[in-house]
């Protein structure tokens, strides 16, 4: 079953028309009915709207009381340099036009307004804004690619070097089965090999996630049963780290299946549980709780580990960001788990929250609304 979540549909463009003449505001709303049109009667009212609403284009008169079009343009560009602004003016003052262009105006519309000019100018600026955004996205993607390639090289180098040195020592006769530290070296190589395999698996999965289509295949999923399955699969890792992993599943969840992509929700739960196990000290505990009320289903992953400092908490969902509590520079993984966990959950209509205090552990919450 293929289902496109409403969040993935292209949202309607929003335009803010600023003019002290109601007839102009009404004209803009009528001519530009394909857009979501907001109106303001001066620059000060427009500023208040822009603080609360995301607007694609501001269409403003130049001559207005309180705060005129040029003043509004300057204030907008100070706060949001990429905001598209079109000015409407009944004057052909070259000095005024030069000032507006220097301040970053995207285009002009002459008064009295020509309906055709209004619609074509707005369309042209939307296209220009789209191209500008695509160029910015390409630049950002290119930077991410460079960062990722550098990170891959660094992360793969450590285990590969350890394995290579061990094999080299055996080949040169330095290490042998009868040497005292041979078994210790074998154990280390086994650990590094397992880590290398995990890195490669992560790379394959992240590549698939990045290249996957926006349309998700959703199916009814019992979130409690799936969460329990993920927890069972991580019991060995928890025992290896000396951490007790407990699971409490509300039996009523079997009666409340959600339309989810099982692969993506599996990944999200695993990423959060894996982090909790990784950052909980020996002797600590991790608890996975799945519960539901009349409005939503929640998965809580709680640990009594080292916690997350406030300045780190705001960054943990960033791509490639990794917390390094020991300041060793040797944190394993690519720093993509939490980023994709939240992206995947959001793509299915849910949300991920993380709360923490240093020294008091972490509580991660996956939340999905129940279907009406």
């Amino acid at each position: 079953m293929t289902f496109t979540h409403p969040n993935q549909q292209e949202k309607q463009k929003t335009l803010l028309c600023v003019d002290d003449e109601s007839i102009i505001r009404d004209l803009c709303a009528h001519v530009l009915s394909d857009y979501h049109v907001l109106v303001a009667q001066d620059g000060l009212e427009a500023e208040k709207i822009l603080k609360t609403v995301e607007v694609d284009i501001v269409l403003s008169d130049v001559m207005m009381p309180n705060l005129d079009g040029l003043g509004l343009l300057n204030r907008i560009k100070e706060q949001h340099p990429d905001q598209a602004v079109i000015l409407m003016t009944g004057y052909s003052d070259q000095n005024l036009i030069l000032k507006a262009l220097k301040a970053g105006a995207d285009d002009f519309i002459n008064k009295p307004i020509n309906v055709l000019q209004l619609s074509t100018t707005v369309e042209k600026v939307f296209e220009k804004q789209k191209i500008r955004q695509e160029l910015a996205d390409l630049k950002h993607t290119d930077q991410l690619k460079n960062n990722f390639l550098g990170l891959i090289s660094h992360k793969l180098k450590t285990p590969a070097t350890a394995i290579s040195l061990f094999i080299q020592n055996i080949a040169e006769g330095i290490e042998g089965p009868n040497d005292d530290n041979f078994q210790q070296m074998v154990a280390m190589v086994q650990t590094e090999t397992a880590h290398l395999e995990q890195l490669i698996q992560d790379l394959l999965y992240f590549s698939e996630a990045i290249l996957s289509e926006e349309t998700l295949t959703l199916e009814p999923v019992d979130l409690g049963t799936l969460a329990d399955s993920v927890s069972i699969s991580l019991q060995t890792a928890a025992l290896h780290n000396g951490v007790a992993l407990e699971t409490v599943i509300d039996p009523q969840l079997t009666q409340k299946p959600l339309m989810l992509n099982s692969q993506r929700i599996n990944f999200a739960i695993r990423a959060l549980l894996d982090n909790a196990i990784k950052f909980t000290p020996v002797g600590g505990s991790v608890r996975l709780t799945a519960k539901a009320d009349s409005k939503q289903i929640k998965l809580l992953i709680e640990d009594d580990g080292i916690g997350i400092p406030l300045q780190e908490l705001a960054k943990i969902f960033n791509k490639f960001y990794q917390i390094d509590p020991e300041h060793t520079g040797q944190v394993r993984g690519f720093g993509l788990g939490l980023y994709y966990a939240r992206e995947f959950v959001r793509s299915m209509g849910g949300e991920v929250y993380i709360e923490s205090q240093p020294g008091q552990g972490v509580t991660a919450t996956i939340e999905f609304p129940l279907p009406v």
Side-chain angles (χ1 to χ4, degrees):
M1 175 179 175
T2 301
F3 174 78
T4 302
H5 192 272
N7 290 344
Q8 295 172 305
Q9 296 174 0
E10 187 175 351
K11 69 174 186 177
Q12 188 180 27
K13 298 291 186 182
T14 302
L15 185 144
L16 173 60
C17 177
V18 190
D19 200 298
D20 57 331
E21 296 183 57
S22 61
I23 191 170
I24 299 298
R25 300 194 298 270
D26 292 343
L27 176 65
C28 289
H30 176 71
V31 174
L32 304 171
S33 58
D34 288 343
Y35 307 104
H36 176 47
V37 180
L38 305 173
V39 295
Q41 58 186 354
D42 59 39
L44 294 179
E45 187 179 352
E47 276 195 305
K48 292 179 182 178
I49 293 173
L50 290 170
K51 287 178 181 178
T52 58
V53 181
E54 186 176 330
V55 171
D56 295 290
I57 288 182
V58 176
L59 177 62
S60 175
D61 188 21
V62 171
M63 300 300 293
M64 295 183 297
N66 300 321
L67 179 63
D68 65 16
L70 279 178
L72 176 62
L73 172 65
N74 284 318
R75 292 190 186 184
I76 288 174
K77 292 298 182 178
E78 284 175 6
Q79 299 293 324
H80 307 285
D82 294 329
Q83 175 69 64
V85 179
I86 301 172
L87 292 181
M88 300 181 288
T89 176
Y91 302 92
S92 56
D93 185 346
Q94 294 296 321
N95 189 40
L96 174 74
I97 293 174
L98 284 174
K99 282 183 179 179
L101 288 173
K102 286 181 180 179
D106 290 84
D107 214 326
F108 292 88
I109 293 174
N110 295 321
K111 283 187 172 183
I113 290 178
N114 178 292
V115 171
L116 180 60
Q117 184 194 18
L118 174 61
S119 59
T120 54
T121 300
V122 168
E123 185 70 25
K124 183 174 68 174
V125 171
F126 267 123
E127 286 300 315
K128 186 165 76 171
Q129 188 76 344
K130 181 180 177 182
I131 293 170
R132 184 188 297 165
Q133 185 59 52
E134 287 175 352
L135 289 173
D137 290 345
L138 284 172
K139 185 176 180 181
H140 181 63
T141 301
D142 192 51
Q143 184 61 49
L144 286 177
K145 181 191 70 175
N146 292 336
N147 292 344
F148 193 33
L149 290 174
L151 183 66
I152 290 172
S153 301
H154 173 73
K155 293 294 183 180
L156 297 182
K157 184 177 180 181
T158 301
T161 299
I163 295 168
S164 176
L165 285 174
F166 181 66
I167 294 173
Q168 183 179 334
N169 288 343
I170 293 176
E172 294 177 358
I174 298 174
E175 297 287 351
N178 298 323
D179 294 324
D180 294 337
N181 65 336
F182 184 79
Q183 291 303 320
Q184 183 179 351
M185 292 288 289
V186 168
M188 181 271 291
V189 168
Q190 287 175 329
T191 300
E192 294 300 326
T193 301
H195 174 50
L196 192 58
E197 289 175 349
Q198 187 61 53
L199 287 176
I200 293 170
Q201 286 180 5
D202 287 348
L203 271 178
L204 292 172
Y205 192 87
F206 292 139
S207 298
E208 181 181 346
I210 292 168
L211 297 174
S212 64
E213 295 180 353
E214 291 187 0
T215 301
L216 292 177
T217 301
L218 305 182
E219 59 188 2
V221 172
D222 176 355
L223 198 54
T225 300
L226 189 143
D228 188 45
S229 174
V230 174
S231 179
I232 290 171
S233 70
L234 288 173
Q235 283 290 348
T236 301
L239 288 172
H240 179 75
N241 283 33
V243 174
L245 177 55
E246 180 186 2
T247 306
V248 179
I249 306 295
D250 183 347
Q252 294 184 11
L253 290 186
T254 57
Q255 303 169 20
K256 300 179 179 180
L258 297 172
M259 294 302 294
L260 302 172
N261 179 280
S262 56
Q263 184 184 27
R264 288 195 167 192
I265 189 60
N266 185 303
F267 175 91
I269 298 170
R270 179 177 292 273
L272 292 170
L273 264 179
D274 185 61
N275 261 26
I277 293 168
K278 185 191 303 183
F279 291 107
T280 299
V282 175
S285 63
V286 174
R287 180 186 178 97
L288 169 63
T289 306
K291 57 185 181 180
D293 57 29
S294 60
K295 295 182 179 179
Q296 58 197 3
I297 290 178
K298 284 186 178 182
L299 295 182
L300 301 176
I301 298 169
E302 303 166 280
D303 67 63
D304 54 7
I306 57 177
I308 304 172
L310 184 61
Q311 64 271 22
E312 303 268 7
L313 203 55
K315 307 174 187 176
I316 57 174
F317 288 112
N318 293 350
K319 269 188 176 180
F320 311 127
Y321 189 78
Q322 293 177 292
I323 296 175
D324 185 6
E326 305 295 330
H327 305 291
T328 62
Q330 296 297 321
V331 180
R332 299 202 163 189
F334 293 111
L336 290 171
L338 289 182
Y339 171 81
Y340 278 111
R342 186 170 70 168
E343 288 296 301
F344 288 171
V345 170
R346 284 180 170 179
S347 73
M348 296 178 285
E351 190 54 85
V352 175
Y353 308 97
I354 291 186
E355 301 170 287
S356 180
Q357 293 288 338
Q360 297 181 26
V362 175
T363 299
T365 304
I366 297 177
E367 183 179 283
F368 285 102
L370 283 171
V372 179

